[in-house]
Amino acid sequence: MNLHRVTLDGCHAANGLVVVVDVLRAFTTAATAFARKAEEILLVSSVEEAFELRARYPDYLLIGEVDGLPVDGFDLPNSPSALQDLNLSSKRLVQRTTAGTQGVVRATSAERLLAASLCVASATCEYIKSLNPPSVTFVETGARGEGSGDEDMACADYMAGLLDGTPLALDEIERRVRNSRAAQKFVGDNHSAFPKADLEQALKIDCFDFSLEAQRRNGQLVLRAVRHGATTELLKQQCRQNEGAD
C-alpha cells in the first residue's frame, strides 16, 4: 500500500482512496455528532450553500465556522465539546468549515473519500485495511506553510504507522498536537469560540469505533459513520475507557 500526502492546494488531483484529515476541529466535531446519534452530515464549502440547504430542508441543523468563529444564523458552532450533552438522534446536519469540509469538497478526483481525526484514527485504518486499496492519500488540511498544521500531520503520521505496521507512541502524537500552532488558540472556557475542552476532546485518540465516509448523493457530499467487523476488541476497550473519562 503506497501512502501519499497532500495539502488543500493539491487535494484536487488526489485519486484512489483519499483521507481528509482535520483534527482541530471539523472531523472531531463530526465524529462527536455521530457519537451523539446524528444520522448524516452534508458537507459544503460555503456559508451560502449551508443556508440554501436549510431553505430546502428546514429540519437540518447548520454547524460550522468561518476562520474558526461561529456563524450568525448557524445552529451550532464547530465545537465537539458543544455537542457532548446533545441528543442528535436521527438529526441531519450541514457542516461548513474553513479547512476540513473544504478538503472533502475539493477532492474531486477521489474514488473513495474518508474523513478522519485522532478520535477515529484506528477505526479508519481498520476500514482501510479491509478495503485493501493500492494507495492512500492523506490530505493534511491544516498544513499551509510556516509551521502550521502539525496537528493534522501528526494524525496522518499516526495513521500511516498503523497502516504500515510501525505505530507511533501516543504520547508523542499528543505532544505534537498540543504544541501545534492551531492548538495555542484553545485556552478559553466553554463560552469561548476556542474552548480548551475542544482540544481535550480532539486528543481522545481512538475513542470512537467507527470511521467516517463521504459519498455523493444527488450531487451533494454526505458524510456517514461506518461501523464494520474489522474493529478490534482493543479499540472497543479504548472507547469504553475514554467514555468513562468524560
Side-chain angles (χ1 to χ4, degrees), residues 32-50:
T32 303
F34 286 118
R36 305 307 301 167
K37 309 302 182 184
E39 180 72 20
E40 63 184 23
I41 301 176
L42 279 63
L43 303 178
V44 298
S45 61
S46 71
V47 170
E48 291 74 20
E49 287 177 84

Side-chain angles (χ1 to χ4, degrees), residues 25-38 41 61-64 75-89 91 93-95 190 195 197-198 201 208 246:
R25 294 168 278 181
F27 300 135
T28 301
T29 300
T32 303
F34 286 118
R36 305 307 301 167
K37 309 302 182 184
I41 301 176
L61 299 177
L62 305 189
I63 182 170
D75 301 286
L76 296 163
N78 183 48
S79 166
S81 64
L83 308 185
Q84 282 290 79
D85 298 321
L86 297 184
N87 179 2
L88 297 176
S89 180
K91 294 291 187 181
L93 284 64
V94 179
Q95 186 182 33
N190 288 338
D198 281 359
Q201 179 65 24
F208 299 133
D246 287 345

